[in-house]
Amino acid sequence: MNNQTFLVEIGTEELPPKTLRSLAEAFADNFTNRLNKESIIHGKIHWFATPRRLALQVEKLGTDKRSYIIKKRGPTIQSAFDANGEPTPAAKGWAHSCGIRVDQADKLITNNGSWLTYCFKKIRPCVQILLPEIIEESLARIPMPKAMQWNESKIQFIRPIHNVILLLGDTLIETKILGIYSTRTTYGHRFMGIPYFSIPHADQYQKILFTLGKVQANYHTRKEFIRKEIHKSASIIGGVVILSEELLEEVTSLVEWPVVLTGRFKKTFLRIPNEALVQTMQSHQKYFPIYNKSGELLPYFIFVSNIESKDTEKIISGNEKVLHSRLTDAEFFFQKDRYHRLEHYLPHLKRVLFQKNLGTLYDKTQRVKKLAGWIAMQIGGNVNKAQRAGLLSKCDLMTKMVFEFTETQGFIGMHYARQDGESEEVAIALREQYQPRFSGDCLPSGEISCSLAIADKIDTIVGIFSVGLHPKNDKDPYALRRAALGILRIIIEKKLPLDLHLLIHETVRLYENQLINSKTIDDIIYFVLSRLRSWYHDQGHRNDTLQAVLARRPFKLVDLDLRINAITHFRSLKQAQDLSATNKRISNILSKTTDSLNTQVNKALLIEPEEIQLADQINNLYVILPLYYADSRYQEALMKIASLNKIINSFFNKVMVNSIDKELRVNRLTLLYKFQSLFIEIADISLLKDNSSIYEK
């Protein structure tokens, strides 16, 4: 077998840095999948990505011609022949597609039926012929939000293509990929090394690019080098860097030959809120801010240059001047904003539309103010502070700082509120109102922050649902799914005594001029609660556990959480599966009876020892369990119910439920109903599936 290293490089103009890695990985995945589909033997596949190239290197690519058997199954024997034994049109059509006559087909006979079948050997074309097609298909399948067309051929790709290399060992595969003829030529760094040169062998790709072209093509090596040098540079000045992986990925995608340098800025700029400084450095300049060990920002920054210069001081000075200009602008905006108190910007919100059918941000602010106060009252927070936070919540959106540095919204509100002398709880709430912003993000800290965050999110959800713009399929322009999960996380993880049903009704009430009917309210409740499915699944709970609990419609989410944890623990017990099966058995028996049950079990009609014992135990539990339910001690309650497992099994083994005597039959059915009702206060366990089933997704 002839196995060789294969190389493909697609040289382009500068690729989008925020998606470079995903583009390269998609190219590699598509190529791998197609090789596997074609049963082409191969070793490890390495992907390379720089701002101006995507490349794959395949180890031990099998190049021998191979034959394989194709099996084609046709119509059933019954439908393949008519009553006279002649082939039907369906059989003839299938045979024609196989290139044979019907009498040349074989018959496949199994326990499930009989079919016409045909097997034939097919020889796969040599790999050199298949590779260009595989590459073009792999490139075409790369997700491209916006493709470019750069000549009259109408060929489109992420960026214009300048060169293509296809090497199988030391052999050039001469072909055309996306309109570009393949060669051995690749391009080095724009300003260092040799501008262009040939790759003699596929094995030498990475080494030659590095030595001749001053290009580190290995994305992972480049990224880890940058990471290491950043930490090293920070430690030299006694600082630390809190690395943003997103920024590190972007910077890695912007350079081919990384050189890590350190610059500084005036200490006076530290008077500006840190969030604005950090956003200027990270989002605008792709710089890494440096902190001291106490977490305070230092007047230094680290940046990654794409060139190795003899005069690094000149490069550092240039970057310092650029940052100085931007921070001077930020300082100006900050000073202009402070001519007024934060509340001064409240009337300006009347000029900003929240949603065309739902009024302005000023209207939303008035609703959020009232709702935050209502929530605070429900959870034992300070109503006045919650209302104050609601009133000021969107004011910073009208400041010059947030207009220029949009990611600082909330943070700027907090800083300005503090300078205005607002209470610390109100100031913190302004910053934390948008939390959690993403999966795994921190939750608001205090009661005022939680009240404001919930009020803001539920107001948006109710409003958008009321105008029929709720999420459809994968489209969620108002991020309502994230908002709903945020509400659930805050209430459950913070253990807030808040009733979801009452919360939504109160929010609806505040939309005084909006037409929101009961169906819309039900849709909102269903939408919010449906976010629990994936959240609880990620925590290891089964979906049928959630369904069993939701069947009881517990709108106090903390209570719902306690029930779910109790049911999950219950399912770990040996008795759980038996009790679940017993409960389903009881449900089947009760659903088939036409008898009207009694409200209570008649002790005088209890004859068998097993039914007497079961009735006594059930009566005891009806006295004890309400005390457990009152304290939400559901796990303990289920343990008490589980103790009846042997008794209920004995009952079914010894007692004839469907007795001929109607009085006895109805009394025993009533007894079973009473047993089943013990669970119903917590969950409908008839919805629980076998513990051995695979978790639903």
Side-chain angles (χ1 to χ4, degrees), residues 341 343 388 392 416-424 426-427:
R341 291 176 59 84
E343 193 172 359
R388 183 65 178 169
L392 299 176
Y416 290 179
R418 281 173 173 164
Q419 293 178 15
D420 290 345
E422 300 287 349
S423 75
E424 184 63 10
V426 169

Side-chain angles (χ1 to χ4, degrees), residues 196-318:
Y196 54 89
F197 43 88
S198 295
I199 305 293
H201 195 286
D203 285 331
Q204 300 171 326
Y205 176 69
Q206 188 176 350
K207 183 178 179 180
I208 290 180
L209 261 180
F210 187 83
T211 54
L212 298 183
K214 293 293 183 181
V215 172
Q216 175 52 269
N218 190 307
Y219 185 92
H220 301 293
T221 302
R222 208 163 64 245
K223 179 181 175 182
E224 291 312 307
F225 173 82
I226 294 171
R227 185 198 302 275
K228 182 179 177 181
E229 288 297 305
I230 285 174
H231 286 303
K232 180 180 175 182
S233 299
S235 66
I236 290 173
I237 57 175
V240 294
V241 174
I242 303 171
L243 268 182
S244 160
E245 283 296 317
E246 184 179 354
L247 179 58
L248 181 59
E249 290 270 345
E250 187 176 357
V251 169
T252 302
S253 302
L254 283 168
V255 296
E256 291 186 323
W257 190 264
V259 178
V260 178
L261 300 170
T262 304
R264 62 183 304 162
F265 56 87
K266 291 194 306 182
K267 285 185 179 181
T268 54
F269 286 131
L270 293 174
R271 292 178 296 190
I272 303 171
N274 283 0
E275 291 77 17
L277 295 178
V278 170
Q279 189 186 356
T280 300
M281 286 188 269
Q282 291 186 335
S283 301
H284 293 251
Q285 297 303 122
K286 314 307 175 190
Y287 296 163
F288 296 88
I290 306 175
Y291 302 83
N292 64 22
K293 293 180 180 179
S294 300
E296 297 169 332
L297 198 62
L298 295 175
Y300 295 93
F301 64 94
I302 292 173
F303 66 98
V304 182
S305 173
N306 191 32
I307 190 169
E308 200 171 77
S309 173
K310 294 179 181 178
D311 188 1
T312 56
E313 289 302 320
K314 189 173 182 179
I315 294 177
I316 293 171
S317 176

Side-chain angles (χ1 to χ4, degrees), residues 274-496:
N274 283 0
E275 291 77 17
L277 295 178
V278 170
Q279 189 186 356
T280 300
M281 286 188 269
Q282 291 186 335
S283 301
H284 293 251
Q285 297 303 122
K286 314 307 175 190
Y287 296 163
F288 296 88
I290 306 175
Y291 302 83
N292 64 22
K293 293 180 180 179
S294 300
E296 297 169 332
L297 198 62
L298 295 175
Y300 295 93
F301 64 94
I302 292 173
F303 66 98
V304 182
S305 173
N306 191 32
I307 190 169
E308 200 171 77
S309 173
K310 294 179 181 178
D311 188 1
T312 56
E313 289 302 320
K314 189 173 182 179
I315 294 177
I316 293 171
S317 176
N319 281 269
E320 287 176 343
K321 288 177 181 177
V322 172
L323 183 59
H324 178 84
S325 297
R326 287 198 171 274
L327 295 184
T328 300
D329 290 341
E331 187 175 45
F332 171 76
F333 296 138
F334 178 65
Q335 291 172 351
K336 290 288 286 185
D337 285 341
R338 297 320 298 139
Y339 288 156
H340 306 287
R341 291 176 59 84
L342 189 58
E343 193 172 359
H344 164 82
Y345 298 98
L346 182 62
H348 297 274
L349 293 172
K350 294 178 180 179
R351 304 200 303 260
V352 183
L353 200 64
F354 167 51
Q355 201 279 333
K356 65 179 181 180
N357 297 313
L358 301 174
T360 65
L361 278 181
Y362 180 85
D363 299 322
K364 178 180 175 65
T365 296
Q366 298 303 318
R367 291 192 303 271
V368 168
K369 170 192 169 183
K370 296 173 184 176
L371 188 56
W374 182 87
I375 294 170
M377 184 185 299
Q378 304 299 309
I379 66 175
N382 187 301
V383 175
N384 292 332
K385 288 181 179 179
Q387 290 182 334
R388 183 65 178 169
L391 188 71
L392 299 176
S393 60
K394 305 302 175 190
C395 289
D396 68 343
L397 298 179
M398 306 309 296
T399 63
K400 295 183 183 299
M401 282 292 282
V402 172
F403 183 80
E404 181 68 17
F405 308 104
T406 54
E407 292 181 12
T408 64
Q409 64 185 41
F411 293 98
I412 292 299
M414 176 188 69
H415 285 291
Y416 290 179
R418 281 173 173 164
Q419 293 178 15
D420 290 345
E422 300 287 349
S423 75
E424 184 63 10
E425 289 174 283
V426 169
I428 293 295
L430 300 187
R431 186 193 72 193
E432 295 181 341
Q433 63 180 300
Y434 301 106
Q435 293 175 204
R437 293 178 176 84
F438 50 85
S439 177
D441 190 19
C442 297
L443 298 179
S445 55
E447 293 168 341
I448 307 306
S449 297
C450 290
S451 298
L452 178 57
I454 294 170
D456 182 42
K457 292 172 176 60
I458 196 65
D459 176 82
T460 300
I461 292 172
V462 169
I464 298 303
F465 262 80
S466 72
V467 294
L469 296 177
H470 51 281
K472 296 174 183 175
N473 301 322
D474 60 341
K475 296 180 180 178
D476 187 9
Y478 294 94
L480 300 190
R481 293 188 179 100
R482 184 176 66 194
L485 184 56
I487 292 169
L488 295 170
R489 281 194 60 202
I490 294 169
I491 296 175
I492 293 173
E493 293 183 33
K494 289 290 183 178
K495 302 188 184 303
L496 303 180

